Amino acid sequence: MANINVMDLIYWKDTERTGMVFTGLVVGLLSLFQLSIITVISTISLGVMCFTVSVHLYYKILHVLSMGDGVPPFKAYLDLDISFSGELADQYMQKAIVTVVSAANSLKNLFLVGSLFDSLKLLALIYLVTFLGDLCNGLTVLIIGVIALFSLPLLYRQHQAKVDSFFAGIQANIVNVKDILHRIAQGGGPTPDTTPGGAKPKTQ
């Protein structure tokens, strides 16, 4: 259910709710440019508490005046079960442990040069990240990430055919470049055609 709700937010299925979450995230992150994270969290929490207490008192007054049914305004959220059973918690914990161990093993192989080609790719990526760090800080990247999270999936769904065609062309070019590099590494000879009846490499 949690995954479905998150996807509903990302794809703007409930425009009002997604707008509130998106605006809150962006405004909160922008506030961190001027204020400390403690101030931002405490101020947001204070605002939320003022809102919920005011709405609750308003419904209480309506009930006293016989103008409401007396149902708490946030009853649907209060009744929402967000607890985990012991078995489900164990499953999530096992997945988390496997993920952490796998990530640690991958980093070990990359930093200790388990594969030279993969380590060189990581080296190039880290080098590019240093340029990104000169252009903007991590908070700016986080804000851009939030905006992308709430915009790119929706744009992809609306223009899926064009996007798939574009990336298919890029993938084909990458495959061609890899094939050229592979042939250069093998001495520059043509790649043998492995299909039945295909051309065979010439023998000297």
Side-chain angles (χ1 to χ4, degrees):
M1 180 62 69
N3 292 334
I4 296 176
N5 291 335
V6 171
M7 297 307 297
D8 288 346
L9 288 175
I10 292 176
Y11 285 109
W12 294 79
K13 292 185 178 179
D14 188 337
T15 306
E16 182 178 354
R17 181 177 297 178
T18 301
M20 292 175 58
V21 172
F22 175 69
T23 303
L25 287 174
V26 173
V27 171
L29 291 174
L30 289 174
S31 300
L32 293 177
F33 280 111
Q34 302 296 329
L35 305 171
S36 69
I37 187 171
I38 297 176
T39 303
V40 172
I41 293 177
S42 60
T43 303
I44 293 176
S45 300
L46 180 63
V48 172
M49 287 297 299
C50 290
F51 172 76
T52 54
V53 171
S54 299
V55 172
H56 186 82
L57 291 176
Y58 174 72
Y59 273 72
K60 283 288 188 182
I61 294 173
L62 290 180
H63 180 59
V64 171
L65 298 176
S66 300
M67 299 175 61
D69 53 9
V71 178
F74 307 108
K75 180 175 176 55
Y77 296 99
L78 290 172
D79 294 339
L80 184 63
D81 185 14
I82 58 175
S83 61
F84 290 124
S85 64
E87 182 180 353
L88 187 59
D90 289 340
Q91 291 179 0
Y92 280 112
M93 181 60 67
Q94 290 175 3
K95 290 181 179 179
I97 293 174
V98 170
T99 301
V100 171
V101 171
S102 177
N105 188 55
S106 298
L107 291 175
K108 178 191 68 174
N109 291 331
L110 289 171
F111 280 96
L112 299 181
V113 196
S115 170
L116 179 59
F117 184 67
D118 291 339
S119 296
L120 289 176
K121 288 193 296 184
L122 178 63
L123 179 64
L125 177 61
I126 296 175
Y127 183 70
L128 293 176
V129 170
T130 60
F131 285 101
L132 181 62
D134 292 336
L135 297 175
C136 57
N137 57 28
L139 188 57
T140 302
V141 175
L142 186 58
I143 294 174
I144 294 174
V146 170
I147 295 175
L149 178 65
F150 283 88
S151 58
L152 294 182
L154 184 61
L155 290 175
Y156 173 73
R157 173 171 287 187
Q158 294 175 344
H159 307 282
Q160 184 173 357
K162 294 181 180 179
V163 174
D164 288 344
S165 176
F166 174 76
F167 281 104
I170 293 179
Q171 186 176 6
N173 291 331
I174 293 176
V175 171
N176 289 335
V177 171
K178 287 183 177 180
D179 181 62
I180 292 174
L181 294 177
H182 178 73
R183 281 186 288 172
I184 293 176
Q186 295 297 324
T191 303
D193 187 354
T194 57
T195 57
K200 304 296 188 297
K202 294 181 180 181
T203 57
Q204 300 295 333

